[in-house]
């Protein structure tokens, strides 16, 4: 294992709740659509435009909006989201992540970020983690969002590694699919049944460690 390619939301910090709050506000105030709490899982790991299309499909309104309308609405949602995360700080780093990063660095494992969020660099800065990562894959430069493997392939390439030399870290079904299709070993956090395609699933980020990643990597490549 020479690299670790991380998702952001739900893995390093829990900004998913802020995303869903922003989507819910947009849906209610601009689209007259009430989103049930259960809809949050539909948007996990999905790009901004694809998320909006899923919401419009849910409200049977997709054909009522042009591509320009969709871009405008997505930008408005991002505004709501940025307001919500204004106060993000080191206190919002998920349990075990700071220790994991230190362990990976101590073993000379390169780290990159493969998030669908265009706000990822700004979020890492708020968390005080921006300088800990060797690279951040730009979601604007990949052809397809998760579950396509593009962003994880970009994450490996950004640190000059082959996907087969990396572990991908995720919390979403779409993300795990992207990792596996990229040819990486997948470590996931969350529900073991839901994330069954991963090589290893742990219930919380506090269970992450260099040893767990290395052991999973070796086992998957045995």
């Amino acid at each position: 294992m020479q690299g670790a390619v991380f998702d952001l939301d739900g893995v390093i910090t829990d900004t998913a709740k802020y995303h869903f709050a922003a989507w819910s506000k947009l849906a209610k105030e601009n689209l007259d659509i009430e989103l049930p709490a259960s809809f949050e899982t539909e948007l996990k790991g999905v790009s901004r435009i694809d998320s909006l299309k899923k919401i419009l499909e849910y409200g049977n309104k997709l054909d009522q909006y042009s591509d320009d309308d969709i871009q405008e609405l997505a930008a408005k949602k991002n505004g709501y989201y940025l307001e919500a995360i204004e106060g993000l700080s080191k206190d919002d780093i998920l349990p075990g992540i700071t220790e994991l990063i230190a362990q990976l660095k101590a073993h000379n494992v390169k780290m990159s970020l493969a998030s669908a969020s265009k706000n990822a660099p700004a979020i890492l800065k708020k968390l005080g983690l921006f300088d800990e990562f060797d690279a951040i894959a730009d979601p604007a430069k990949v052809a397809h969002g998760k579950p396509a493997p593009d962003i994880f392939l970009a994450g490996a390439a950004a640190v000059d590694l082959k996907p087969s030399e990396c572990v991908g870290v995720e919390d979403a079904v779409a993300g795990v699919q992207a990792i596996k299709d990229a040819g990486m070993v997948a470590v996931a956090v969350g529900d073991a049944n839901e994330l069954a395609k991963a090589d290893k699933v742990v219930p919380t980020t506090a269970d992450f460690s260099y040893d767990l990643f290395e052991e999973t990597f070796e086992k998957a490549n045995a």
Side-chain angles (χ1 to χ4, degrees):
M1 179 181 67
Q2 295 186 45
V5 186
F6 287 83
D7 175 45
L8 176 64
D9 294 339
V11 172
I12 292 169
T13 187
D14 187 13
T15 50
K17 59 188 175 188
Y18 298 116
H19 275 296
F20 190 65
W23 281 126
S24 296
K25 183 178 180 180
L26 182 90
K28 188 174 183 178
E29 294 182 5
N30 298 269
L31 306 170
D32 198 29
I33 297 172
E34 288 277 355
L35 292 178
S38 59
F39 201 78
E40 183 175 355
T41 57
E42 296 286 323
L43 308 179
K44 255 186 157 184
V46 180
S47 73
R48 198 181 301 165
I49 296 297
D50 288 341
S51 291
L52 180 52
K53 286 180 177 175
K54 278 178 178 280
I55 291 166
L56 290 170
E57 278 174 3
Y58 173 78
N60 294 314
K61 295 187 176 187
L62 184 56
D63 58 355
Q64 295 175 27
Y65 294 88
S66 68
D67 288 346
D68 286 346
D69 292 335
I70 285 172
Q71 291 290 344
E72 199 175 304
L73 286 163
K76 187 172 276 193
K77 176 265 171 180
N78 194 46
Y80 294 154
Y81 172 69
L82 291 175
E83 281 172 26
I85 62 163
E86 195 53 50
L88 219 58
S89 71
K90 287 183 180 181
D91 294 338
D92 294 291
I93 299 170
L94 286 170
I97 294 300
T98 304
E99 295 80 0
L100 172 65
I101 288 171
Q103 290 168 11
L104 292 170
K105 286 178 88 73
H107 287 88
N108 299 312
V109 176
K110 290 182 179 178
M111 286 177 283
S112 68
L113 199 72
S115 170
S117 174
K118 295 184 175 75
N119 298 306
I123 291 168
L124 284 185
K125 284 173 184 170
K126 285 178 181 292
L127 299 173
L129 295 177
F130 184 79
D131 293 330
E132 301 293 334
F133 283 81
D134 299 291
I136 299 173
D138 184 354
K141 291 183 179 173
V142 300
H144 306 287
K146 303 170 190 176
D150 303 30
I151 193 78
F152 280 97
L153 294 172
V159 287
D160 299 318
L161 292 174
K162 296 173 190 167
S164 60
E165 297 172 321
C166 302
V167 165
V169 194
E170 262 287 355
D171 72 316
V173 174
V176 169
Q177 187 67 55
I179 292 170
K180 296 307 294 178
D181 287 350
M184 290 184 190
V185 172
V187 174
V189 57
D191 183 280
N193 293 323
E194 194 179 293
L195 301 165
K197 286 189 178 178
D199 296 284
K200 182 73 177 178
V201 185
V202 294
T204 76
T205 54
D207 299 305
F208 284 157
S209 68
Y210 168 80
D211 288 342
L212 177 92
F213 281 26
E214 174 67 15
E215 195 179 296
T216 304
F217 183 84
E218 293 298 332
K219 198 172 176 183
N221 285 288

